[in-house]
Amino acid sequence: MTSESESESHSFQVDLRGLVDLLSHHLYSSPRVYVRELLQNAVDAVTARHALDPGAQVRIRLSATGGRVTIEDSGIGLTAAEAHSLLATIGRSSKRGGDHGLEAARREFLGQFGIGLLACFVVARRIRVVTRSARDPHASPVEWLATDDGSYTVRELPHEARPEPGTTVILEARPGAAEWTVPAKVEQLARDYGSLLPYDITFDDGEGGEPRPVTDLPAVWDRPFPTPAARRVALAGHCSALFGFTPLDSIDLDLPVAGVRGVAYVLPEPTSPAHRAGHRVHLKGMLLTDRADNLLPDWAFFVRVVLDTDTLRPTASRENLYDDETLSAVREALGSRVRGWLAELAASDPERLAAFLRVHHLGVKSMARHDSELLGLMLPWLPFETSDGSMSLQEFAAAHTDIHFTRTVEEFRQIAPIAAAHGLGVINAGYTYDADLLALLPSVRPELKVTELDAGAVTERLDPVATSAELALAPFLATARTRLEPQGCDVVLRAFQPVAVPALYLDDRQARQERDRTAALESADSLWSGILGALRGSAPRARLVLNHNNPLIRRISALPDEALTGTAVESLYGQALLMSQRPLRPADSTLLNRAFLGLLEWATHSTGHPTGHPTGPSASPSTNPSTNPSADGTDARDAQEDQK
């Protein structure tokens, strides 16, 4: 048995093929990242060389031809010992500890995780590195040659093999990965990842032409333009090339304290607030990700962002941002910039704000329910459908301090013309999120009173009928109330505009709840009948408001036949119910059918039937002709014509 003092120390063994599989299928989302690793190593090497020798020449050249990808830099280079230590050790980085002794430069390095060139095995079967150190002018060039079976060799080369300090890396494509080494693909990936890198980088496709620039500096948001309009045009073109749309507007994102510079582009089409936007983030000029979904607050769903930062931390795969306190602070600051843009539009350019809200009002409403600051900022400007027309709450509140709202579009459309004629301020809250926002309105404007529209509020605004006229119509009203009692509906008489509306059906949430309770009571067993009966409320019932100004109502009220009067009232009830576009209950459908057939029976009376009985088997007691003073049905036809 081996004692504790005699235990041996061993090193972990790494299966390179297993590591490549891990990198390509789990750590990285795509083999395309190998170009980023090549650029990253070259840029870090040049950064280290500049720290050692600020006057050194900068050169990074990428090329691709014949299934090979080559990148050459004039950077710091490596000695033979460093090649053994750094290129073949997982987790060891030349940017750590003090390998270069260059603390200031280390802060500018892109690489952090020591995976280095081994990540390039996702596309390469062999990697050859020829390097010469700039720190030791007498050191010989070194060749490091590795294959994807996990073996490598290191040997010194003659001085002629590489006269100047720097590094050349050559990748040979592995079977099945040739598509990633096609020159056009390599150039496109290099531009995608490296367009904002701080050094001039060129690409050569091996066809004999001049090398083409990869970098495109300064960034478009940092370039000088002769006029603001020219800058807007340039930013719109940049957005179109990058994201595929022409923005409504652009918002500068400049946070010097956080080391962030960039621009947010406002989407020109509506998008769901639930959609997680993909923002484009560069880290020290190198593209980190084009799918950053944690960069902005959730409510800023209507913008797409591209920016460069030198403070935010990447994840291990370097394909997203690490969500820490720094990112949280930057996210809040970027959200403040977007809010500031909205506030500026509200204060100085209401037309542009209106154009923005025409596109994104639904999403803004959705997020304003949960963001009190956004609610206070945007609620006065959000468009609503009102009894005075489509307008913002700020405009509507200037005319109405008592604001009523309906919970359904159908209810609003029925009541809107009457409310407008009688000075009643009603908002349609039947659209998504509107009712929630109106409930929050008093928290922003405490002087406003917001209540759900009820039948009583509408009825009170309508003009009462003279007492003498109402007493004269008492028998008619009694007949109407009796006929509609089974429907749980009261009948009231008012005078209102427009005159063309003969009757108005009004109910509210409490009335609907009481009606549902009654319907449930009728079909419940004895136990539930007792429970539901105990829950009987005192809420007002639905109301059929008859318009005394309407000629048809006056003619119906003057009919001498009580049965015909009842049928006409049921028809008015059915017509008002249909105009409100509410769902019909079985009892309502039965009433509509009975009233329609009853009127047909009266309309088809003729002198050819001396007994006066209506033809057909569908005659009902309500259409008994024995009580009809006109055998030829003239009054019924007149009533029908009036209703038409």
Side-chain angles (χ1 to χ4, degrees), residues 494-512:
R494 291 290 186 273
F496 57 86
Q497 299 295 327
V499 174
V501 177
L504 178 66
Y505 180 83
L506 297 174
D507 70 350
D508 50 35
R509 184 168 54 179
Q510 291 179 325
R512 290 190 289 271

Side-chain angles (χ1 to χ4, degrees), residues 267-612:
L267 291 167
E269 296 179 351
T271 185
S272 169
H275 176 67
R276 301 290 287 180
H279 305 295
R280 192 175 177 91
V281 178
H282 295 257
L283 179 61
K284 300 183 179 73
M286 179 74 76
L287 177 67
L288 181 68
T289 179
D290 57 4
R291 297 187 299 273
D293 58 3
N294 56 354
L295 183 64
L296 290 182
D298 289 339
W299 59 261
F301 61 90
F302 48 82
V303 298
R304 294 293 179 271
V305 168
V306 54
L307 57 78
D308 187 26
T309 176
D310 57 13
T311 58
L312 300 178
R313 291 174 55 195
T315 58
S317 66
R318 296 182 58 78
E319 293 188 307
N320 212 332
L321 294 170
Y322 187 77
D323 210 335
D324 56 9
E325 292 182 359
T326 302
L327 178 58
S328 179
V330 168
R331 181 164 50 234
E332 183 177 347
L334 293 177
S336 296
R337 288 300 170 95
V338 177
R339 281 196 185 95
W341 171 77
L342 289 171
E344 182 181 350
L345 289 187
S348 61
D349 201 340
E351 290 186 2
R352 285 171 65 199
L353 179 63
F356 165 75
L357 289 177
R358 277 195 296 271
V359 176
H360 295 294
H361 67 275
L362 186 61
V364 172
K365 286 179 178 180
S366 170
M367 300 310 300
R369 297 176 303 152
H370 310 294
D371 188 312
S372 57
E373 188 172 350
L374 185 65
L375 173 69
L377 178 63
M378 297 307 300
L379 188 55
W381 303 98
L382 291 172
F384 285 83
E385 186 178 5
T386 78
S387 53
D388 295 345
S390 181
M391 61 180 61
S392 69
L393 283 181
Q394 183 162 293
E395 295 172 309
F396 191 72
H400 305 278
T401 55
D402 287 346
I403 296 176
H404 302 273
F405 66 91
T406 63
R407 289 190 177 272
T408 66
V409 175
E410 295 76 18
E411 185 179 5
F412 172 80
R413 288 177 179 169
Q414 184 196 24
I415 198 66
I418 295 153
H422 292 268
L424 185 66
V426 181
I427 292 178
N428 181 7
Y431 296 117
T432 308
Y433 312 127
D434 284 4
D436 295 337
L437 290 176
L438 288 172
L440 295 171
L441 180 57
S443 67
V444 179
R445 299 281 300 274
E447 73 278 9
L448 298 179
K449 181 182 179 182
V450 179
T451 56
E452 183 175 353
L453 184 70
D454 59 66
V458 178
T459 306
E460 289 172 4
R461 285 298 186 104
L462 305 180
D463 296 333
V465 178
T467 304
S468 58
E470 189 162 3
L471 287 174
L473 296 177
F476 163 69
L477 295 175
T479 299
R481 288 166 183 151
T482 300
R483 278 303 183 96
L484 298 185
E485 176 64 27
Q487 311 305 124
C489 181
D490 291 332
V491 178
V492 296
L493 187 66
R494 291 290 186 273
F496 57 86
Q497 299 295 327
V499 174
V501 177
L504 178 66
Y505 180 83
L506 297 174
D507 70 350
D508 50 35
R509 184 168 54 179
Q510 291 179 325
R512 290 190 289 271
Q513 289 173 345
E514 179 63 19
R515 192 163 57 242
D516 293 341
R517 186 201 63 81
T518 302
L521 180 62
E522 293 173 353
S523 60
D525 56 28
S526 57
L527 174 61
W528 282 107
S529 294
I531 296 174
L532 293 170
L535 295 176
R536 176 184 291 274
S538 59
R541 300 192 299 173
R543 299 182 183 186
L544 182 68
V545 184
L546 302 178
N547 187 0
H548 190 252
N549 290 338
N550 183 269
L552 176 61
I553 295 298
R554 296 194 178 193
R555 286 198 292 270
I556 292 176
S557 65
L559 289 173
D561 187 285
E562 182 177 339
L564 181 57
T565 300
T567 301
V569 168
E570 288 181 338
S571 299
L572 289 170
Y573 171 83
Q575 186 263 355
L577 198 61
L578 290 174
M579 289 298 294
S580 70
Q581 300 185 35
R582 291 175 173 82
L584 296 180
R585 299 171 296 164
D588 295 328
S589 299
T590 301
L591 177 143
L592 278 170
N593 184 60
R594 182 175 68 243
F596 177 71
L597 292 178
L599 289 179
L600 283 179
E601 294 285 359
W602 282 98
T604 55
H605 286 178
S606 69
T607 57
H609 294 83
T611 60

Side-chain angles (χ1 to χ4, degrees), residues 113-336:
F113 296 100
I115 296 174
L117 283 178
L118 295 183
C120 294
F121 277 116
V122 295
V123 299
R125 69 177 182 86
R126 188 171 74 164
I127 301 176
R128 180 172 183 256
V129 178
V130 177
T131 181
R132 183 169 185 173
S133 175
R135 290 190 302 276
D136 184 358
H138 302 293
S140 299
V142 175
E143 178 194 66
W144 181 87
L145 185 64
T147 59
D148 60 359
D149 63 1
S151 62
Y152 74 93
T153 60
V154 176
R155 66 187 180 104
E156 292 188 353
L157 300 176
H159 285 272
E160 299 80 34
R162 186 172 183 93
E164 298 295 330
T167 301
T168 300
V169 180
I170 304 170
L171 307 184
E172 295 182 13
R174 63 190 306 177
E179 62 177 299
W180 297 103
T181 62
V182 174
K185 184 69 171 180
V186 176
E187 182 177 13
Q188 181 260 320
L189 292 175
R191 292 182 187 279
D192 203 32
Y193 280 113
S195 61
L196 298 185
L197 288 171
Y199 305 114
D200 289 334
I201 302 173
T202 60
F203 177 80
D204 185 356
D205 58 11
E207 296 184 358
E210 286 292 323
R212 295 183 289 272
V214 169
T215 49
D216 186 20
L217 294 175
V220 63
W221 54 82
D222 284 330
R223 295 174 190 171
F225 293 95
T227 63
R231 186 174 190 271
R232 284 196 298 271
V233 170
L235 288 174
H238 178 252
C239 176
S240 180
L242 207 59
F243 294 116
F245 64 85
T246 301
L248 279 177
D249 206 346
S250 57
I251 309 167
D252 284 318
L253 305 175
D254 184 9
L255 305 174
V257 175
V260 170
R261 282 283 295 157
V263 62
Y265 294 115
V266 181
L267 291 167
E269 296 179 351
T271 185
S272 169
H275 176 67
R276 301 290 287 180
H279 305 295
R280 192 175 177 91
V281 178
H282 295 257
L283 179 61
K284 300 183 179 73
M286 179 74 76
L287 177 67
L288 181 68
T289 179
D290 57 4
R291 297 187 299 273
D293 58 3
N294 56 354
L295 183 64
L296 290 182
D298 289 339
W299 59 261
F301 61 90
F302 48 82
V303 298
R304 294 293 179 271
V305 168
V306 54
L307 57 78
D308 187 26
T309 176
D310 57 13
T311 58
L312 300 178
R313 291 174 55 195
T315 58
S317 66
R318 296 182 58 78
E319 293 188 307
N320 212 332
L321 294 170
Y322 187 77
D323 210 335
D324 56 9
E325 292 182 359
T326 302
L327 178 58
S328 179
V330 168
R331 181 164 50 234
E332 183 177 347
L334 293 177
S336 296

